[in-house]
Each structure stands twice: as structure tokens, then as C-alpha cells.
């Protein structure tokens, strides 16, 4: 029987060609597996080609994150400075002040002793006890001669200027609301001059008594507490006298301000022979200030401190006749400065994740370092190196 012409039994069957497209798709899909990608390959984002994961530039990522961190820190610093400046300018005023009772104990002068007599000595150290964290103001014959802070040990110490004759020294301590404590027993110090045989001179006309200098009882100014805080910008002393012993006093000293804010302190000079040379020692704040003052009157000095704490400020005046005068005061800087690490730590521990991007930044750095460390570990101790050692063996 003859076979059908169109039928070829012995003809081999054609093998249908398989499309490689499906295979490539499968390989591409399998390359997306986390296990395969961890072991060997990572898919290139744009071309679809598979490259080794060591081609990831972790160093470049860390450099980028470093500059991002600098930007975040600078932005936070600018924002904080802006907030402080707004507060300084007084455009924000929130809250209420409810002063408590004034100090129940007054400042007591323990040195010098009452009735002390001195010869040709016109300065003396005054010390005593006081209420912790109060501001102590010392007066001589009812007029301000110096001020300072009560230390953590409950004592105060400052150098004051004396005058010829009786010096009745008294001290008052003021709390953070500028409320004075009770008055205490004053101490009297007598200053006498060395006896010199006088040269006969014709009698001179009696000189009129010096005009009292209008000094405040308390020189400290606390913004938000004192209603007359703005008087320091327009302090008026009238016609101040010259002649006799020179004098210098602080009449406006700001208290309780933040680090880095520029402040203004007011001084009054009078007596002696003008012009005056004045030096101010800030003890850790602005550099020592030297200035020349041509005549008696009120003058302002700018200063600032960068670190929190209590600071003593000492002034010394010398007139044209080479006579000197001194005074002291103190300021309190609240809060503190922070390093970049402290800022980041504070953000992580004390702020929510929605208030600052710093925790997210720390997480990005940690993830990058983690992947980088994993990459290095896999190269040195991973499966690929184990296979190479096996092949060599």
C-alpha cells in the first residue's frame, strides 16, 4: 500500500524554538529575589543589566549624608538664633508672673568688723552670708557701691570703695523677682588720713556740699519683672560734680539672660579730674574693655557671654590726677550652649519624630553603615569566598 504523498512518517519532528523572552523575564524576576540579590547580584535601575552589589558606592552615600547633616545642624542653629532674637526684641510675650514671698533672711556683713579704723585705705573687701541664688547689693552711707551674686555656699564677697571719714556699709539681697529681703545691722568703717604738717595758706572760701548723685538702690534689671527696665536706655543723671575723689558705679545691669545675646550695661562716672580712663574686666565674657570718658555722666557698654553661669564684672577708673575708683557687679546666664552631638542627642531623647528630622537622619546613616558593613563582611567571609576556597582546594 502506497503512503500518502503528503505524509512523511520518517520525517523528524520539528522542535519548536522556545522564546528567550520568557526566560529572560524569569531570570529578571528571579533576580529580584532578596536571597539572590544578597548572594550575588543587584539589578541596575535603568538598563536592566545585573551587576555585582559591590558596585554600590557606600562611600559616596556617606559623603552625601555628611553634607546633609551639616545642613540640618546649620538650619537648626539659624532657627534657634531667630527664636532668641524674636524673644530679645520683645515681639513674643507669653505667660504670667506670680512672684512669691521675698527672701525671709537678709544679707549679713561678717567682714569687715564693725568699728574698724583704717589709715589712707580707700578700698576694702566686704563679705558675708546671704540667701542662696539671690543678688546682693552693698551700699555705703545709703548709696550704691557694688553688687554681686550669692554663691551656692550662701556667701558673698566683693571689693568696694571707701571715702574719708565714716563709711556705714549695709547689704540687701534680692530674689529673682527683685524683691528685697529684710534689712540687717550695718557695719561702720572709719578711714583717716595720715597727719601732715600743713603749710600756712590763706583761708579759702568754703566749698559747697557736693550734689547728691542719683543712683538706684538696686542696679539689676530683669526684663518682664521691672516696669522701669527701659530706663537704662535713657538714664539721666543731671549735672554730675567733679573734684574730690573719683567714682564709678553700675546703674543698670541685666540679669537672667541666655548665652550669645548681646546685652547693654550702664555705668555712671563722676568726681575727680576728667577725662577718665575706664577698664572693664568681664571675667570670661567679651574681651576686656578700655575706654576714655571725657566728662562725668552716663555711658553704655555692650557685652555677651557664650556659656551659662554666674560672672563677676569689675570696673576700674583712673582720672587725670591719677586717682582711682573701683566697683563690681555680676550677671547670671541661664541655659547653656550645646555641641552638635548634644543637639542630636537632645532631639532623639526629648523631641517627637514629627518635631525634627534629626532621628530620620540618624536612621539613614545607620542603615547605610549597616549595608556597607554587611557588604564588607560578605566579601571577606561570605558564601562567594567560601566557594572560591573550595574550588582552589
Amino acid at each position: 500500500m502506497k503512503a500518502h504523498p503528503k505524509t512523511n512518517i520518517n520525517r523528524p519532528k520539528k522542535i519548536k524554538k522556545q522564546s528567550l523572552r520568557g526566560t529572560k523575564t524569569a531570570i529578571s524576576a528571579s533576580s529580584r529575589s532578596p536571597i539572590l540579590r544578597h548572594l550575588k547580584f543587584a539589578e541596575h535601575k535603568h538598563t536592566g543589566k545585573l551587576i555585582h552589589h559591590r558596585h554600590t558606592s557606600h562611600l559616596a552615600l556617606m559623603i552625601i549624608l555628611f553634607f546633609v547633616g551639616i545642613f540640618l545642624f546649620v538650619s537648626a542653629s539659624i532657627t534657634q538664633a531667630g527664636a532668641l532674637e524674636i524673644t530679645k526684641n520683645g515681639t513674643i510675650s507669653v505667660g504670667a508672673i506670680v512672684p512669691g514671698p521675698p527672701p525671709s533672711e537678709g544679707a549679713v556683713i561678717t567682714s569687715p568688723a564693725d568699728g574698724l579704723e583704717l589709715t589712707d585705705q580707700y578700698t576694702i573687701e566686704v563679705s558675708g552670708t546671704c540667701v542662696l541664688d539671690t543678688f546682693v547689693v552693698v551700699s555705703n552711707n545709703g548709696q550704691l557701691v557694688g553688687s554681686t551674686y550669692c554663691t551656692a555656699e550662701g556667701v558673698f564677697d566683693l571689693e568696694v570703695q571707701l571715702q574719708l571719714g565714716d563709711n556705714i556699709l549695709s547689704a540687701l539681697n534680692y530674689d529673682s523677682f527683685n524683691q528685697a529681703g529684710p534689712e540687717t545691722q550695718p557695719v561702720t568703717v572709719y578711714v583717716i588720713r595720715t597727719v601732715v604738717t600743713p603749710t600756712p595758706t590763706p583761708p579759702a572760701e568754703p566749698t559747697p556740699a557736693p550734689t547728691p548723685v542719683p543712683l538706684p538702690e538696686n542696679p539689676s534689671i530683669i526684663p518682664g519683672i521691672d516696669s522701669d527696665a527701659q530706663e537704662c536706655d535713657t538714664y539721666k543723671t543731671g549735672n554730675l560734680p567733679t573734684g574730690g575723689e573719683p567714682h564709678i558705679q553700675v546703674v543698670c545691669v541685666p540679669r537672667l539672660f541666655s548665652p550669645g545675646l548681646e546685652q547693654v550695661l550702664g555705668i555712671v562716672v563722676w568726681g575727680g579730674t576728667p577725662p577718665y580712663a575706664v577698664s572693664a574686666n568681664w571675667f570670661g565674657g567679651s574681651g576686656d574693655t578700655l575706654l576714655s570718658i571725657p566728662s562725668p555722666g552716663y555711658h553704655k557698654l555692650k557685652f555677651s557671654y557664650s556659656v551659662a553661669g554666674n560672672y563677676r564684672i569689675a570696673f576700674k577708673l583712673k582720672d587725670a590726677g591719677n586717682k582711682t575708683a573701683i566697683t563690681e557687679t555680676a550677671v547670671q546666664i541661664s541655659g547653656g550652649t550645646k555641641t552638635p552631638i548634644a543637639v542630636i542627642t537632645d532631639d532623639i531623647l526629648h523631641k517627637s519624630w514629627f518635631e525634627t528630622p534629626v532621628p530620620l537622619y540618624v536612621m539613614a546613616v545607620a542603615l547605610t553603615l549597616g549595608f556597607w558593613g554587611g557588604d564588607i563582611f560578605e566579601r571577606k567571609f561570605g558564601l562567594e569566598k567560601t566557594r572560591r576556597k573550595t574550588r582552589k582546594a
Side-chain angles (χ1 to χ4, degrees):
M1 187 174 178
K2 196 172 183 181
H4 194 277
K6 292 184 178 181
T7 303
N8 189 358
I9 299 175
N10 299 322
R11 180 181 300 173
K13 294 181 180 181
K14 290 184 178 180
I15 299 176
K16 188 175 182 180
K17 294 182 179 181
Q18 293 182 354
S19 173
L20 295 178
R21 180 176 302 174
T23 304
K24 292 181 179 178
T25 304
I27 293 174
S28 177
S30 65
S31 68
R32 298 176 187 272
S33 171
I35 299 176
L36 293 178
R37 185 168 64 252
H38 173 72
L39 292 177
K40 214 165 185 182
F41 299 102
E43 183 177 358
H44 195 278
K45 183 177 179 181
H46 302 292
T47 64
K49 294 181 180 180
L50 300 178
I51 60 175
H52 198 281
H53 61 77
R54 69 167 56 98
H55 292 285
T56 302
S57 180
H58 295 96
L59 179 60
L61 290 176
M62 289 303 301
I63 293 175
I64 293 173
L65 288 173
F66 173 75
F67 284 105
V68 171
I70 293 177
F71 172 77
L72 289 176
F73 176 71
V74 172
S75 299
S77 300
I78 293 175
T79 302
Q80 183 180 13
L84 290 174
E85 185 65 24
I86 289 175
T87 304
K88 177 183 175 183
N89 293 334
T91 56
I92 292 180
S93 179
V94 180
I97 298 172
V98 182
S104 58
E105 298 180 10
V108 178
I109 298 176
T110 58
S111 178
D114 187 29
L116 177 66
E117 291 188 1
L118 301 173
T119 302
D120 295 335
Q121 181 176 330
Y122 297 96
T123 62
I124 194 171
E125 290 283 341
V126 177
S127 60
T129 60
C130 49
V131 178
L132 178 66
D133 290 333
T134 56
F135 190 73
V136 181
V137 177
V138 176
S139 300
N140 184 0
N141 295 330
Q143 191 169 61
L144 169 70
V145 290
S147 55
T148 188
Y149 269 98
C150 187
T151 67
E153 291 75 22
V155 296
F156 69 93
D157 180 14
L158 75 161
E159 187 176 11
V160 302
Q161 184 175 351
L162 301 175
Q163 62 186 23
L164 185 64
D166 296 350
N167 294 266
I168 303 175
L169 303 176
S170 60
L172 276 178
N173 51 359
Y174 293 81
D175 62 11
S176 296
F177 296 97
N178 263 352
Q179 299 177 117
E183 295 183 359
T184 57
Q185 187 68 27
V187 171
T188 303
V189 175
Y190 304 95
V191 176
I192 60 177
R193 184 176 295 172
T194 303
V195 178
V196 179
T197 303
T199 302
T201 56
E205 296 182 0
T207 57
T211 305
V213 177
L215 300 180
E217 293 183 358
N218 179 8
S220 67
I221 299 296
I222 304 177
I225 302 297
D226 304 297
S227 59
D228 57 349
Q230 299 300 322
E231 287 187 3
C232 288
D233 293 332
T234 57
Y235 192 89
K236 295 182 179 180
T237 55
N239 297 321
L240 298 183
T242 59
E245 297 296 324
H247 297 272
I248 178 172
Q249 280 306 319
V250 178
V251 293
C252 292
V253 53
R255 288 172 58 192
L256 303 174
F257 56 88
S258 300
L261 294 181
E262 188 177 70
Q263 301 293 317
V264 176
L265 180 145
I267 61 172
V268 172
V269 297
W270 75 97
T273 306
Y276 311 99
V278 175
S279 63
N281 190 339
W282 306 98
F283 289 95
S286 308
D288 291 356
T289 302
L290 300 175
L291 66 155
S292 178
I293 300 177
S295 59
Y298 170 72
H299 302 272
K300 296 187 292 185
L301 291 84
K302 295 181 179 180
F303 70 101
S304 64
Y305 289 89
S306 59
V307 180
N310 294 343
Y311 292 91
R312 170 186 168 214
I313 305 174
F315 292 90
K316 185 175 183 179
L317 176 146
K318 184 173 288 188
D319 70 352
N322 208 31
K323 295 181 178 180
T324 60
I326 62 167
T327 190
E328 289 186 14
T329 189
V331 293
Q332 184 179 33
I333 317 302
S334 59
T337 55
K338 296 182 180 179
T339 62
I341 298 299
V343 172
I344 294 176
T345 303
D346 184 68
D347 286 335
I348 295 174
L349 298 178
H350 301 98
K351 291 186 179 180
S352 74
W353 288 67
F354 300 99
E355 293 178 325
T356 173
V358 170
L360 298 178
Y361 170 75
V362 173
M363 177 177 286
V365 173
L367 288 174
T368 304
L369 290 175
F371 280 115
W372 196 358
D375 182 24
I376 296 174
F377 180 84
E378 193 273 333
R379 293 183 195 180
K380 293 184 176 296
F381 309 104
L383 180 61
E384 183 179 353
K385 189 164 185 176
T386 304
R387 287 178 178 175
R388 291 177 182 175
K389 289 182 178 180
T390 305
R391 289 173 186 174
K392 290 180 180 180

